[in-house]
Amino acid sequence: MISPTTPEQQRLRLGEPLADDLLDAGERLSKAELAELQLGRLRATLRHAYDHVELYRRKFDAAGVTPDDCRSLADLAKFPFTTKADFRDTYPFGMFAVPSAEIRRLHASSGTTGRPTVVGYTENDLSMWADVVARSIRAAGGRPGHKVHIAYGYGLFTGGLGAHYGAERAGCTVIPASGGMTARQVQIIQDFRPEIIMVTPSYMLTLLDEFERQGVDPRGSSLRIGIFGAEPWTQEMRREIEERLDIHAVDIYGLSEVIGPGVAQECVDTKDGLHIWEDHFYPEIVDPLSDDLAPEGETGELVFTSLTKEALPVIRYRTRDLTRLLPGTARPAFRRMEKITGRSDDMIILRGVNLFPTQIEEIVLRTPGVAPHFQLHLTRRGRMDHLTVRVEARHGAAAGQRAAAVAVIARGIKDGVGVSVEVEVVEPDTLERSVGKIHRVKDERPS
């Protein structure tokens, strides 16, 4: 790691906890205080949703529950789930709980698989969002005066503007680079010398390749902290980024329907999963098949209920993200979620075996001679599904090293996942690069 130059950086490099004077009021809550706050906010949210959103009123009535039936946090399990289909069925503004005159901003998903999911924010919502992102940046090691290079996309996607206003709330200087123009991004980082970058991990790999293409050692850059989110990524990718860039790489989590980035954050001093900001977002884990609450500590689908949102309260929103909840560490009152292992709707079923792109990523990233850029190509040969894993060779990898990589990856997938695949090592710089969220899977199987 780069030698620290200030007392603050020295404390960060040693991995010491955030000083008490930098914790906000929510981070200082005891477990008992947090539970009391959550219940009050939960009851108010259920009432707000029931009174002002027709969909919730119909769902609650159909389930035979009312907001008054929530007398404890455990009672939340009596209430129905919200899904992405509910947003699409009420498109564009049917989920809003306040008059249109009170909406200060609209965001939306890309809508690549159907109608976009539209989300709205009141003035108070935007302030709360800035607060939780600022809290996340502090937990990641950011401090007032740091420059933050934001390479998340701006516009209807929540990433860019969510990070932007949070960084300003944290007292940082924002560099609103947005996505794309990769060569220019590298030049800006060299010229403006930011300490922090916020970007998808896959695009960070693209930026690292561009540093090296320009003949610049990325380890000599000014960057000290990378806050990466918007897509699942593995511990192997963390090691790849930290080694090539000489930074602390930490995870941030969020999704548009719940607020955007800032729902949960990994603390730089522990790097042991993401603390959920439970004073604003209440988590549950359910079995994605039975819909029942999963036993404590078991992996399942992450479900969120908002506790403080005005424009768009969400009740038991099914994220499709797979993880488990663990006790808090760096923020003891808040539970942690493990890094997302995949999404239930990203799961590939190949000849009866379930696999996720992150499982392939782990194997690729620990294989010598190949770059961290890969693509999964699904086809059908006769009656059987077929998966080809295409991986880029690293620059300078000899033919023998490439052949060895094919064998190592194929064996790793067979042993670790339980399915046989074809592996191709292709020339460097030939696979599509990410400028935002990565699309790993090309499924060309007939319907």
Side-chain angles (χ1 to χ4, degrees):
M1 287 290 182
I2 296 171
S3 300
T5 57
T6 69
E8 185 58 58
Q9 288 175 330
Q10 289 171 2
R11 193 158 72 242
L12 175 60
R13 289 297 176 183
L14 293 172
E16 294 181 5
L18 191 67
D20 286 345
D21 60 348
L22 291 176
L23 298 175
D24 63 34
E27 292 173 284
R28 294 192 180 99
L29 292 170
S30 67
K31 285 184 177 292
E33 291 169 333
L34 175 62
E36 182 180 1
L37 180 68
Q38 287 174 322
L39 181 57
R41 288 179 168 179
L42 175 59
R43 287 170 58 87
T45 293
L46 292 170
R47 173 56 63 187
H48 180 53
Y50 185 82
D51 288 347
H52 297 102
V53 182
E54 181 185 352
L55 178 135
Y56 282 124
R57 190 159 52 252
R58 285 191 283 104
K59 277 179 168 278
F60 287 14
D61 289 347
V65 292
T66 72
D68 294 334
D69 292 325
C70 184
R71 299 181 180 87
S72 70
L73 292 173
D75 287 336
L76 179 59
K78 301 175 183 177
F79 289 80
F81 295 110
T82 307
T83 68
K84 190 177 285 289
D86 292 322
F87 283 85
R88 290 173 178 157
D89 290 345
T90 58
Y91 176 87
F93 307 135
M95 297 287 284
F96 289 4
V98 300
S100 59
E102 296 181 26
I103 300 293
R104 293 292 175 269
R105 193 190 305 165
L106 295 172
H107 282 284
S109 68
S110 62
T112 54
T113 58
R115 282 179 169 175
T117 299
V118 179
V119 293
Y121 304 80
T122 66
E123 190 170 331
N124 287 337
D125 292 336
L126 291 172
S127 182
M128 179 271 286
W129 190 13
D131 284 342
V132 293
V133 175
R135 181 191 286 180
S136 297
I137 290 170
R138 289 195 303 272
R143 300 293 182 268
H146 279 169
K147 292 188 288 292
V148 182
H149 181 101
I150 297 175
Y152 289 123
Y154 280 63
L156 289 177
F157 172 59
T158 57
L161 286 170
H164 182 119
Y165 285 100
E168 289 184 342
R169 181 65 56 89
C172 299
T173 301
V174 172
I175 304 169
S178 192
M181 296 186 292
T182 303
R184 185 167 181 263
Q185 298 249 12
V186 169
Q187 189 64 53
I188 289 171
I189 291 169
Q190 292 183 81
D191 294 345
F192 292 6
R193 299 192 58 77
E195 291 85 2
I196 301 169
I197 187 167
M198 299 183 74
V199 63
T200 62
S202 55
Y203 190 50
M204 188 70 250
L205 293 176
T206 301
L207 289 172
L208 283 167
D209 288 347
E210 180 61 24
F211 268 102
E212 292 162 358
R213 191 192 68 78
Q214 293 185 19
V216 177
D217 181 5
R219 292 174 61 86
S221 81
S222 60
L223 293 171
R224 297 292 180 270
I225 299 162
I227 304 175
F228 303 115
E231 60 192 19
W233 56 299
T234 61
Q235 296 290 355
E236 292 292 340
M237 188 178 285
R238 188 207 301 271
R239 282 189 280 273
E240 170 90 11
I241 291 172
E242 289 191 334
E243 181 178 332
R244 290 176 68 187
L245 193 52
D246 194 20
I247 63 170
H248 289 288
V250 292
D251 206 349
I252 189 170
Y253 176 85
L255 61 168
S256 300
E257 297 86 349
V258 177
I259 192 73
V263 173
Q265 174 65 45
E266 192 169 39
C267 296
V268 71
D269 42 313
T270 52
K271 294 185 188 174
D272 57 357
L274 299 95
H275 285 79
I276 299 168
W277 304 137
E278 287 196 72
D279 48 341
H280 296 283
F281 315 104
Y282 187 81
E284 300 172 280
I285 298 291
V286 302
D287 184 315
L289 299 178
S290 71
D291 295 344
D292 295 330
L293 286 176
E296 186 175 350
E298 288 199 5
T299 298
E301 181 183 346
L302 183 62
V303 173
F304 274 113
T305 298
S306 64
L307 298 179
T308 55
K309 287 176 68 181
E310 295 177 338
L312 185 67
V314 289
I315 311 301
R316 306 196 78 200
Y317 180 72
R318 300 192 66 149
T319 68
R320 300 298 179 188
D321 290 326
L322 301 176
T323 185
R324 63 178 180 144
L325 298 181
L326 300 168
T329 53
R331 303 293 184 276
F334 298 132
R335 285 172 289 179
R336 288 174 296 140
M337 52 183 272
E338 280 190 332
K339 285 177 70 68
I340 298 298
T341 58
R343 291 176 53 83
S344 59
D345 49 4
D346 280 347
M347 184 173 69
I348 298 168
I349 301 177
L350 182 68
R351 300 191 294 276
V353 176
N354 299 339
L355 65 93
F356 294 95
T358 49
Q359 293 174 290
I360 309 297
E361 178 181 283
E362 287 184 329
I363 295 165
V364 168
L365 283 168
R366 64 175 183 248
T367 302
V370 295
H373 303 290
F374 69 95
Q375 193 174 80
L376 308 181
H377 188 206
L378 284 160
T379 55
R380 185 162 293 153
R381 296 184 178 179
R383 297 182 178 179
M384 300 291 288
D385 289 342
H386 182 81
L387 174 61
T388 302
V389 180
R390 292 182 174 141
V391 188
E392 280 188 10
R394 287 195 185 272
H395 288 279
Q401 195 174 23
R402 296 186 186 191
V406 168
V408 168
I409 293 170
R411 185 172 62 250
I413 295 171
K414 177 65 174 177
D415 294 345
V417 182
V419 66
S420 296
V421 303
E422 181 181 355
V423 179
E424 295 179 358
V425 175
V426 301
E427 291 299 314
D429 306 319
T430 55
L431 294 179
E432 180 184 355
R433 289 295 190 267
S434 164
V435 294
K437 292 186 180 183
I438 191 71
H439 298 287
R440 295 283 193 200
V441 182
K442 287 199 170 182
D443 192 343
E444 296 181 357
R445 294 175 292 183
S447 300

